[in-house]
């Protein structure tokens, strides 16, 4: 078995590549380096620089590296950017996936793991989001992930390829400082950025119908997420009734924005009070995964808590940004 990991030099991709290699899997990475960092990958993992939209390159990688399975993570993933540039998101996220799947089907690839997102659900009014919760994405990013799931399942059914779609919830943390997220797009690095600039963290709305009035989310350590990919890949390798699976990847536990900021203050030693601003459009009061199916079909459970996420992310932030 040789697994191609697209987006393999990215924040999540490098964690997945290292987890799979560490477990004895053979891995090759493909990344256009728009956000990826080559130094995240150890020397033993081949890194091909290029895009999934390059059909000739995709075919070349499959042939030259004897690829037998794909873990597809390469995608654009910023919600606000997707609203401003919807055609780019459809072109790269859906078009790139279509090109990759065409090459995979032509090469006889039998296993495909797709990086999806809880954004496919939109803002459901439920206590726990299960895989059967209706999908109603509220932005182009979520739409491209849902369309990607449809495409993966259809290609799998048409060509006898076993597939798994993993719907991530909120990813944080790092397995090592070098592997940490270098962007400032998610809540943990956004709070770090405010504190580093000697500014108070921001809370967007504190009048939601939640215990402390702030939004509640399910946070997953990126190292746990990487292990979920390994579990999914091995589930497909075992064959049998793998078929086409859709699985939430979360802890099944909710943490409010105010609770998370409190933990960040404890870890950083900067516990200044957050400032409350107006709600942001589209924020759901609560979005927490049911993690039951992941345990049942993948034999996977998250092992790391929110404090470990924040502590490891803070170490990475200090390495990349200083204080």
């Amino acid at each position: 078995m040789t697994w191609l990991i697209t987006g393999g030099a990215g924040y999540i991709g490098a964690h997945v590549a290292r987890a799979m290699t560490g477990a004895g899997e053979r891995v090759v990475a493909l990344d256009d380096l728009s956000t990826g960092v080559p130094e995240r990958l150890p020397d033993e993992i081949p890194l091909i620089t290029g895009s999934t939209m390059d059909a000739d390159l995709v075919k070349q990688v499959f042939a030259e590296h004897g690829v037998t399975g794909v873990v597809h993570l390469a995608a654009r993933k910023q919600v606000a950017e997707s609203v401003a540039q919807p055609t780019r998101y459809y072109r790269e996220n859906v078009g790139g996936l279509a090109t990759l799947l065409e090459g995979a089907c032509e090469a006889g690839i039998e296993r495909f793991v797709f990086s999806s997102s809880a954004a496919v659900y939109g803002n459901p009014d439920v206590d726990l989001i299960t895989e059967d919760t209706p999908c109603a994405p509220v932005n182009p990013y979520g739409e491209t992930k849902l369309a990607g799931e449809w495409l993966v399942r259809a290609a799998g059914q048409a060509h006898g390829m076993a597939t798994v779609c993993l719907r991530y919830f909120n990813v944080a943390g790092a397995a090592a400082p070098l592997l940490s997220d270098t962007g400032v797009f998610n809540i943990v690095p956004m709070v770090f950025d405010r504190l580093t600039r000697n500014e108070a963290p921001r809370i967007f709305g504190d009048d939601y119908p939640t215990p402390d009035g702030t939004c509640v989310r399910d946070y997953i350590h990126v190292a746990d997420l990487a292990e979920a990919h390994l579990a999914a890949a091995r589930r497909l390798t075992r064959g049998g009734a793998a078929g086409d699976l859709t699985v939430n990847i979360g802890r099944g536990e909710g943490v409010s924005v105010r609770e998370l900021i409190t933990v960040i203050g404890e870890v950083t030693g900067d516990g200044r009070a957050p400032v409350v601003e107006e709600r942001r459009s589209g924020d759901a009061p609560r979005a927490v995964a049911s993690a039951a199916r992941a345990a049942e079909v993948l034999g996977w459970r998250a092992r790391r808590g929110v404090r470990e996420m924040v502590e490891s992310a803070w170490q990475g932030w200090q390495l990349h940004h200083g204080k």
Side-chain angles (χ1 to χ4, degrees):
M1 283 292 300
T2 297
W3 289 91
L4 170 65
I5 301 179
T6 69
Y11 165 52
I12 296 174
H15 279 90
V16 173
R18 286 172 174 264
M20 294 185 70
T21 301
E25 302 288 344
R26 293 178 58 188
V27 165
V28 58
L30 173 67
D31 200 300
D32 67 3
L33 301 184
S34 57
T35 59
V37 180
E39 290 74 21
R40 287 175 170 150
L41 292 173
D43 293 339
E44 64 267 25
I45 296 179
L47 172 61
I48 294 91
T49 303
S51 169
T52 58
M53 294 188 290
D54 185 337
D56 291 337
L57 177 62
V58 166
K59 293 176 183 177
Q60 179 183 339
V61 171
F62 284 144
E64 292 186 358
H65 293 272
V67 173
T68 52
V70 175
V71 179
H72 179 51
L73 297 104
R76 303 203 67 83
K77 61 176 185 177
Q78 302 306 324
V79 169
E81 184 183 60
S82 79
V83 173
Q85 303 178 46
T87 55
R88 181 184 187 185
Y89 267 65
Y90 273 86
R91 181 177 65 251
E92 296 192 22
N93 289 7
V94 181
L97 172 59
T99 300
L100 181 66
L101 281 168
E102 285 177 344
C105 294
E106 184 177 316
I109 303 299
E110 296 181 347
R111 303 162 187 87
F112 199 100
V113 179
F114 177 60
S115 163
S116 188
S117 168
V120 301
Y121 294 115
N123 298 328
D125 184 15
V126 294
D127 188 49
L128 287 179
I129 297 173
T130 75
E131 291 83 355
D132 297 321
T133 299
C135 292
V138 295
N139 53 64
Y141 167 67
E143 292 167 2
T144 65
K145 285 300 183 180
L146 183 56
E149 289 189 10
W150 294 339
L151 185 54
V152 166
R153 294 190 196 103
Q157 291 167 4
H159 296 277
M161 181 168 56
T163 64
V164 176
C165 297
L166 302 180
R167 293 174 174 168
Y168 309 171
F169 280 66
N170 297 267
V171 185
L178 178 64
L179 302 181
S180 64
D181 190 358
T182 55
V184 187
F185 304 108
N186 300 316
I187 184 170
V188 173
M190 287 174 66
V191 174
F192 290 163
D193 182 56
R194 298 279 294 186
L195 296 179
T196 300
R197 292 189 282 112
N198 199 33
E199 297 175 1
R202 293 186 294 179
I203 290 176
F204 296 99
D206 65 349
D207 57 350
Y208 286 93
T210 60
D212 66 14
T214 66
C215 294
V216 173
R217 295 290 182 267
D218 191 333
Y219 296 93
I220 178 76
H221 196 296
V222 67
D224 281 328
L225 178 62
E227 291 168 5
H229 284 78
L230 173 63
R234 290 192 161 170
R235 175 69 175 82
L236 295 185
T237 302
R238 290 197 302 271
D244 50 54
L245 301 173
T246 302
V247 185
N248 286 340
I249 303 298
R251 294 170 59 244
E253 299 178 14
V255 177
S256 76
V257 171
R258 191 176 292 279
E259 289 172 332
L260 181 64
I261 290 175
T262 297
V263 173
I264 292 173
E266 294 169 354
V267 168
T268 62
D270 189 336
R272 73 184 73 193
V275 296
V276 177
E277 300 185 3
E278 292 185 1
R279 291 186 182 192
R280 295 182 302 188
S281 176
D283 277 348
R286 177 181 173 87
V288 179
S290 166
R293 184 177 294 181
E296 177 187 352
V297 303
L298 301 182
W300 172 90
R301 290 180 175 83
R303 300 187 291 117
R304 300 162 179 88
V306 170
R307 181 171 290 273
E308 188 170 350
M309 296 179 214
V310 173
E311 289 173 346
S312 60
W314 180 235
Q315 291 172 358
W317 179 269
Q318 291 176 301
L319 173 66
H320 293 295
H321 300 273
K323 183 180 180 183

